[in-house]
Amino acid sequence: MSRSPERLVVLALAVALVAGPVAGPATVAWADPVDATAGVEEIVAPVEDINAEAESLDGAESESKQGEQVTVALTSDVLFALDKAVLTAKAKARLRQIAAKVQAESAGGVVRVEGHTDDQGTDAYNNVLSLRRAQAVRQALQATLSGVTFQVRGFGEAKPKLPNIVDGRPVEENRAKNRRVEIVFTAR
């Protein structure tokens, strides 16, 4: 049997609890709870929103919720061909699913469609490409959703989800996740 200090402490505590006091004063009777008084301290702790993100198995779609704000992100690789802003057939099917989600869960108000790119290319090119992609997604959503007001923006590479370069080396997996369009709405 091992005689580590932790095991010896546990063993000594177990013996003390079972055997009771070996020597010393008589056991003190417990106070009646009715007679017990104690000061009450107010415990104050900050409450933070739980911000969880769920990602599809293929990594092409993720959803996060912060408070009542829901963000659905689709990677550009699923939506568009390289350097293009024309939706693929696969993208249109996925956007119909997201439109149904917005229709079912939205509390109303503005739905934001935000385009993002990785760090490849110039800022000017990425800003235009991200805006054109966001506009293409809005157009597809608008065809399915009626009575919804959209706000469309292109951020280029200004708001990466993950660092494009780590330890001085490009990370292609991160760049792929940064090339995305996000649909942001307020849930009921």
Side-chain angles (χ1 to χ4, degrees):
M1 180 165 130
S2 171
R3 297 211 174 163
S4 69
E6 294 86 7
R7 288 183 62 94
L8 291 175
V9 168
V10 169
L11 181 59
L13 285 173
V15 168
L17 287 173
V18 171
V22 177
T27 306
V28 177
W30 290 99
D32 185 358
V34 175
D35 297 335
T37 59
V40 176
E41 296 280 334
E42 191 170 319
I43 299 174
V44 179
V47 176
E48 296 183 22
D49 286 336
I50 295 174
N51 190 12
E53 182 174 23
E55 188 172 287
S56 63
L57 291 176
D58 64 359
E61 184 177 332
S62 66
E63 181 178 325
S64 62
K65 186 171 183 183
Q66 185 171 13
E68 298 304 314
Q69 181 175 293
V70 176
T71 302
V72 178
L74 292 167
T75 61
S76 296
D77 300 348
V78 154
L79 298 172
F80 308 100
L82 183 65
D83 287 330
K84 302 292 182 204
V86 177
L87 291 167
T88 65
K90 192 177 188 181
K92 290 177 184 177
R94 222 168 194 157
L95 288 171
R96 281 192 296 275
Q97 293 172 344
I98 292 172
K101 179 178 191 57
V102 171
Q103 187 75 45
E105 297 178 16
S106 176
V110 174
V111 173
R112 297 189 333 252
V113 182
E114 302 174 347
H116 303 271
T117 65
D118 62 18
D119 62 339
Q120 300 297 291
T122 66
D123 286 346
Y125 179 81
N126 285 335
N127 287 337
V128 170
L129 179 62
S130 64
L131 178 60
R132 289 180 55 224
R133 286 179 167 182
Q135 289 169 332
V137 168
R138 180 211 21 101
Q139 189 173 18
L141 291 173
Q142 206 166 25
T144 307
L145 294 169
S146 59
V148 174
T149 303
F150 291 93
Q151 179 186 54
V152 179
R153 291 190 65 189
F155 289 100
E157 63 184 83
K159 293 185 171 188
K161 192 172 190 174
L162 299 167
N164 289 296
I165 298 175
V166 176
D167 295 330
R169 295 194 171 137
V171 180
E172 191 51 44
E173 184 179 305
N174 289 2
R175 283 180 168 164
K177 289 186 188 244
N178 288 335
R179 297 185 299 264
R180 68 198 187 282
V181 175
E182 295 179 342
I183 298 100
V184 184
F185 65 94
T186 303
R188 293 183 197 149

